[in-house]
């Protein structure tokens, strides 16, 4: 299994025996059964496997109400019936105040090839990633995915380096629109200010680039002209929050908003 192989190869990922045992059980569905799912039969095998991840279902107030597979959470048929899940978006800044962007791999089932922030994914329905105090569960999930996608080891980004800013809610259809998948998320925004070593997982990430504020603004202009495409959540965060945060990286505490969920479901 993918996660077990990662834990064996990279001991730093072994958070605890309990977590490994739980995740092993959750990822125990056979490879053969995934290929029998006709909806996903034409997609990349590794990405199909990841669609079995157990995401966290929430209500409008971000209260946990259950769990469902990543595939189920992203099916438009379920989204149109109100299925809402928890997610996160990480923005990593270097000591030069440059933001690390990624271009999503073409193998991704949702939003393939699009440009986005450093890392975007979901906390899983396991005890350590469901801990809500100080968003610790979300931070653990982000630490896990930064390693999976970008090879940033947990030692480089201890949990106390993650700054939880706020939450946004949005809804979007897949790009390109396949009439199958989309997003309906409450998204926790996390910021890290740290120089890191990278080792890219090409099944997840097509390219990376550190950008200045001015370079990102040019990228946004290119998006408006139709030359590049940004993920909908990244575009929303850029339009409403990012540049103010960027100007206050040394004092983000004053910009924290953990009370409100900023609703942009009608803005995409």
């Amino acid at each position: 299994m993918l996660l077990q192989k990662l834990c064996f190869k990279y001991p730093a990922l072994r958070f605890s025996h309990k977590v490994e045992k739980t995740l092993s059980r959750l990822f125990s569905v056979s490879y053969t059964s995934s290929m029998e799912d006709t909806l996903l039969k034409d997609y990349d095998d590794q990405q199909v496997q990841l669609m079995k991840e157990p995401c966290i279902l929430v209500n409008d107030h971000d209260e946990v109400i259950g769990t469902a597979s990543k595939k189920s959470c992203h099916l438009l048929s379920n989204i149109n019936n109100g299925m809402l899940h928890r997610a996160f978006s990480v923005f990593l800044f270097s000591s030069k105040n440059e933001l690390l962007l990624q271009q999503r791999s073409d193998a991704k089932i949702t939003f393939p090839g699009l440009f986005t922030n450093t890392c975007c994914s979901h906390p899983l329905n396991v005890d350590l990633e469901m801990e809500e105090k100080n968003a610790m569960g979300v931070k653990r999930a982000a630490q896990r995915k930064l390693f999976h996608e970008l090879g940033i080891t947990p030692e480089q980004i201890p949990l106390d380096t993650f700054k939880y800013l706020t939450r946004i809610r949005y809804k979007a259809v897949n790009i390109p629109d396949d009439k199958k998948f989309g997003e309906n998320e409450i998204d926790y925004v996390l910021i890290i200010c740290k120089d890191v070593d990278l080792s890219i997982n090409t099944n997840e990430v097509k390219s990376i680039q550190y950008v200045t504020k001015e370079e990102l603004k040019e990228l946004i202009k290119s998006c408006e002209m139709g030359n590049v495409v940004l993920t909908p959540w990244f575009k929303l965060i850029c339009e409403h929050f990012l540049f103010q945060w960027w100007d206050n990286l040394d004092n983000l505490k004053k910009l924290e908003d953990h009370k409100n969920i900023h609703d942009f479901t009608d803005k995409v």
Side-chain angles (χ1 to χ4, degrees), residues 2 31 43-51 148 201 203:
L2 175 61
Y31 174 86
Y43 293 98
D44 175 83
D45 293 346
Q46 293 183 50
Q47 294 298 320
V48 168
Q49 284 293 98
L50 291 171
M51 291 296 265
H148 176 223
N201 178 352
N203 188 256

Side-chain angles (χ1 to χ4, degrees), residues 54-100:
C55 293
I56 300 169
L57 298 181
V58 294
N59 62 18
D60 294 344
H61 305 290
D62 193 31
E63 297 166 335
V64 176
I65 60 172
T67 183
S69 69
K70 181 179 175 183
K71 172 194 165 186
S72 294
C73 288
H74 292 83
L75 285 174
L76 281 178
S77 55
N78 290 333
I79 290 170
N80 292 336
N81 285 326
M83 185 176 283
L84 179 66
H85 64 280
R86 188 174 286 172
F88 64 81
S89 290
V90 177
F91 292 75
L92 186 147
F93 294 88
S94 72
S95 59
K96 297 179 180 179
N97 282 353
E98 294 178 338
L99 174 62
L100 179 60

Side-chain angles (χ1 to χ4, degrees), residues 3 11 24 60 70 91 118 132 165 190-191 220 224 226 230:
L3 191 68
S24 294
D60 294 344
K70 181 179 175 183
F91 292 75
T118 310
E132 297 192 345
L165 268 291
L190 305 172
I191 288 182
I220 293 170
E224 292 169 351
L230 306 181

Side-chain angles (χ1 to χ4, degrees), residues 147-262:
F147 177 75
H148 176 223
E149 294 187 4
L150 297 167
I152 304 173
T153 57
E155 291 89 347
Q156 296 186 75
I157 47 169
L159 294 177
D160 61 7
T161 62
F162 289 81
K163 296 178 176 63
Y164 162 41
L165 268 291
T166 193
R167 292 168 290 176
I168 71 166
R169 179 178 176 175
Y170 74 97
K171 184 188 294 186
V173 298
N174 202 10
I175 301 174
D177 186 1
D178 54 12
K179 310 300 181 186
K180 300 177 185 177
F181 297 106
E183 288 284 10
N184 190 26
E185 299 181 332
I186 291 180
D187 191 20
Y188 285 65
V189 180
L190 305 172
I191 288 182
I192 304 173
C193 298
K194 194 78 162 50
D195 291 327
V196 294
D197 296 321
L198 303 169
S199 179
I200 307 305
N201 178 352
T202 56
N203 188 256
E204 291 285 326
V205 179
K206 186 174 183 177
S207 66
I208 58 168
Q209 183 178 358
Y210 281 96
V211 297
T212 64
K213 279 185 282 191
E214 292 71 25
E215 289 169 337
L216 180 55
K217 288 175 182 178
E218 288 300 315
L219 184 64
I220 293 170
K221 288 181 182 177
S222 294
C223 176
E224 292 169 351
M225 295 169 61
N227 296 326
V228 298
V229 184
L230 306 181
T231 58
W233 60 89
F234 181 44
K235 187 171 182 290
L236 284 169
I237 292 171
C238 287
E239 290 172 348
H240 295 275
F241 301 107
L242 181 60
F243 293 102
Q244 183 184 14
W245 294 337
W246 207 327
D247 288 334
N248 291 275
L249 291 178
D250 293 332
N251 190 16
L252 288 171
K253 186 73 176 177
K254 68 180 182 181
L255 299 177
E256 289 180 357
D257 180 2
H258 298 169
K259 180 179 179 180
N260 296 302
I261 301 171
H262 304 277

